[in-house]
Amino acid sequence: MGGAFLAAAVLARVGARIGLPTIPLFILAGILLGPHTPGFVLVSDPHEMEMLSALGLVLLLFYLGLEFHMDDLKAGGRRMALSGGTYLALNVGAGLGFGFALGWGTSEALVLAGVLGISSSAIVTKVLVDTGRLGNAETKPILGIIVVEDIFLALYLAALQPILSGADSLGSAVLDGGKAFAFLLLLALAARFGTRIVSRLFDTRDDELLVISFLGAAVFMAGVSEWFGVADAIGAFMVGLMLGSTTSGPRILKLVHPLRDAFGAMFFFAFGLSIDPGDLPTVLWPVLAAVALTLVMNVLAGLGAARIYGFGPGPAANISTTLLARGEFALILATMAAVAGLDERLSPFIAGYVLVLAVLGPLAAGRSGWLARILPGGKAARAAEQAAEPRESTPVG
C-alpha cells in the first residue's frame, strides 16, 4: 500500500512538471506495477486494493455532494432532469446502436449501452477539482447530469442483472428496481427535510470527532445503498449533500480534502491494476470507433445542455469534455459480463475503451478552449473577447 502511494506520487510529480493531469498518471502507475505488465510487480492481486479503491470512490462522491447545494437542486431540478435525460438518450442510445452494429449479441449490446452511456463520477469530480471549475456556472448542469446518471444507473443495473443471469422473472426485476428507487427517494427526502436534525447530530467543535463522524456516515450509507441495489457512490453523494447544508459543512469540506486526494489516487491506481495491455490490440478498431462515437455524442449533449441553461460555446465545451471520461461503472459491467459468460472480446474492449477515455478526458477538459473555438458561435465569442481586451496606447511623435 505504501508503494502504491509513493508510485502514484512520483509519477504525479513528473507529470506536473510537463503539464499532465494526475488521473492518467495514477492509472499508468497501476498498469506498470500490476500483474499484467512485465517487470516488477508491486500488487499481484488487484483485489488486495479493492477496499481502498472503494473508499476512494466514496470520498470523491462525498466531496461532490458537499459542493452540490440543495438550493441548486431545488432551483434547477427541471433543467437538470432535461439535460441529464438528453445526455443519457444520446449516449446510451448510441451505445446500444454500436453494440448491435458490432454483432456480438443482444446481451452484449445491452452491456455496451451502459459502458458507452455513463460517465465516470470519480473522474468528473477530479477533473472539476484539478481545473478549478467547481465554482463555474456550467458545473451545476455537469453535477446535475451526474446525479441523473446515478439514478438511471440504479434502475439500469436492476433491469440488466436478471438478463445477464438468464432469469426470466419480470417480477424479480421490477422488485429490485422498485427497491432501489424507493431507497433513492428516501435519501432525497432526508436531504430535503432532515438538514436541521443532521446539523444537530454533527455539531461539534472537535475536528477529530467531526472527521470520524462524517467519514463513518459516508462509508456506512455507501454500504447500505449497495445493499438496496443503488450504487455506493450515490449514497455517499447524498450524505455529502445533507452535510453540505449544515452549519458544519464548511469545516467538513476543508477536513475531507486530504482524505479525498489520498484515497482518490488509490481508486485510479487500482483501476490501472485491472487493465491488461496485452489484450488491447485485439479490439483496437472497435475501441477507436467507440471513442470517436462518444466524442461526437458528448459534444452534442454539451451543446444541448448549454442551450437548456442559456450558456455559450465556452461552457458547452467544458460540459462536453468534463463528462467525456468513462470509468468505474464500465469496469463493473465488464466483471458482470465475464461472470455471465458473454463474448470474450467484451472485457478487453471495455478495458481499452475506458483507458483511452480516462486519459483523453482530463486532457481534453484542460484544453476545452480549442473545442469552444469550433463550436457554433465560438468564433464570434472569441472576437468579442478580443475586442473587449484593453489595448496598449501607441506613443505619438
Side-chain angles (χ1 to χ4, degrees), residues 34-239:
H36 305 299
T37 305
F40 177 71
V41 176
L42 179 67
V43 183
S44 57
D45 183 5
H47 291 292
E48 292 177 2
M49 304 291 291
E50 194 169 354
M51 185 58 71
L52 281 179
S53 172
L55 186 57
L57 179 61
V58 164
L59 287 171
L60 282 167
L61 269 293
F62 173 72
Y63 180 84
L64 192 64
L66 289 170
E67 288 282 356
F68 194 84
H69 299 294
M70 280 300 299
D71 291 339
D72 298 332
L73 192 61
K74 288 183 285 186
R78 186 175 180 180
R79 290 187 297 179
M80 181 185 78
L82 186 57
S83 58
T86 302
Y87 187 90
L88 286 172
L90 287 169
N91 285 274
V92 174
L96 185 63
F98 180 79
F100 281 121
L102 285 178
W104 292 355
T106 301
S107 295
E108 287 78 1
L110 291 171
V111 169
L112 287 172
V115 171
L116 271 67
I118 307 293
S119 305
S120 168
S121 301
I123 296 179
V124 168
T125 307
K126 192 71 167 62
V127 166
L128 289 172
V129 172
D130 288 350
T131 55
R133 293 178 185 159
L134 280 170
N136 286 16
E138 70 272 11
T139 298
K140 291 179 182 178
I142 291 172
L143 300 185
I145 290 171
I146 289 296
V147 171
V148 173
E149 281 186 331
D150 282 333
I151 294 171
F152 170 80
L153 172 58
L155 303 176
Y156 171 79
L157 283 178
L160 186 65
Q161 184 60 51
I163 296 173
L164 295 185
S165 62
D168 55 0
S169 172
L170 179 62
S172 176
V174 171
L175 180 64
D176 289 343
K179 185 174 71 171
F181 184 77
F183 182 69
L184 283 171
L185 183 61
L186 182 65
L187 286 178
L189 290 172
R192 173 67 180 87
F193 300 106
T195 304
R196 187 172 298 178
I197 297 173
V198 172
S199 183
R200 290 178 183 175
L201 291 173
F202 283 82
D203 186 21
T204 175
R205 295 181 180 180
D206 191 320
D207 284 349
E208 180 183 13
L209 291 178
L210 187 58
V211 169
I212 295 170
S213 299
F214 74 68
L215 186 60
V219 175
F220 179 76
M221 192 54 67
V224 173
S225 298
E226 200 169 54
W227 187 80
F228 274 96
V230 177
D232 53 1
I234 191 64
F237 175 87
M238 295 304 290
V239 173

Side-chain angles (χ1 to χ4, degrees), residues 320-334:
S320 301
T321 54
T322 302
L323 292 166
L324 184 61
R326 303 295 187 260
E328 63 279 359
F329 174 58
L331 297 180
I332 291 170
L333 286 177

Side-chain angles (χ1 to χ4, degrees), residues 323-348:
L323 292 166
L324 184 61
R326 303 295 187 260
E328 63 279 359
F329 174 58
L331 297 180
I332 291 170
L333 286 177
T335 303
M336 291 173 62
V339 172
L342 299 187
D343 194 298
E344 62 183 11
R345 292 170 291 185
L346 204 54
S347 291

